[in-house]
Amino acid sequence: MSKTIFQKIIDREIPSEILYEDEFCIVIKDIAPKAPVHLLVIPKKLITKLSESSEEDTKLLGHLLKIVREMAKEHGIEEAFNVIINNGEKAGQTVFHLHIHILGGDKVKLSSELITD
Ligand code: 5GP
């Protein structure tokens, strides 16, 4: 299986500004931001999509949400932000390496508006 774009970023094969990194994940800015702050939290482990995660990933998934919380705080959007995981092509997933979108900033939207975008 060829590497996903996110795997290439994790492996430093494609340059990208990595805002945060630990043993389990990285955080980058989305290349096509849909909000003033649009970050992606990406696990280093290749899980193609949330529905493909397993029981053994439970701790990792919790860790990713912890990083979401910390990143929202660090970027000053902790009062209002959206967290999105697109699962499957029909739901708009384009990169098949699990990632969590964090969207926020002064033009923060209602989640219902994001869904109809
Ligand atoms: P999805 O549609 O799969 O939920 O989200 C994929 C996201 O990855 C999109 O918002 C897209 O803009 C972003 N993206 C795709 N390729 C790159 C890239 O090379 N670098 C960065 N930083 N973001 C990317």
Side-chain angles (χ1 to χ4, degrees):
M1 202 172 83
S2 62
K3 282 188 182 181
T4 65
I5 191 99
F6 293 158
Q7 193 62 54
K8 288 179 183 169
I9 289 171
I10 290 164
D11 294 343
R12 294 347 194 234
E13 289 171 14
I14 288 180
S16 181
E17 190 193 346
I18 295 179
L19 304 177
Y20 172 85
E21 179 169 23
D22 63 27
E23 201 184 332
F24 306 106
C25 68
I26 61 165
V27 180
I28 59 174
K29 284 185 188 168
D30 196 290
I31 205 169
K34 308 268 188 314
V37 177
H38 186 173
L39 309 178
L40 301 171
V41 180
I42 308 169
K44 290 185 174 175
K45 177 178 177 183
L46 174 58
I47 299 169
T48 55
K49 50 186 173 176
L50 184 63
S51 59
E52 293 293 327
S53 64
S54 64
E55 199 57 37
E56 70 173 28
D57 298 319
T58 303
K59 207 170 161 196
L60 173 62
L61 296 174
H63 179 73
L64 298 178
L65 280 183
K66 181 187 101 147
I67 300 304
V68 167
R69 181 185 70 216
E70 291 179 1
M71 286 296 120
K73 189 155 199 226
E74 200 175 308
H75 288 80
I77 58 166
E78 73 267 33
E79 263 196 34
F81 62 96
N82 299 104
V83 178
I84 294 179
I85 298 175
N86 294 322
N87 186 95
E89 209 174 329
K90 286 184 183 160
Q93 186 175 3
T94 57
V95 181
F96 287 83
H97 184 137
L98 177 65
H99 51 283
I100 304 178
H101 295 259
I102 308 173
L103 297 127
D106 41 324
K107 288 180 198 135
V108 67
K109 291 187 176 189
L110 296 173
S111 55
S112 56
E113 293 174 295
L114 285 166
I115 287 164
T116 53
D117 260 0

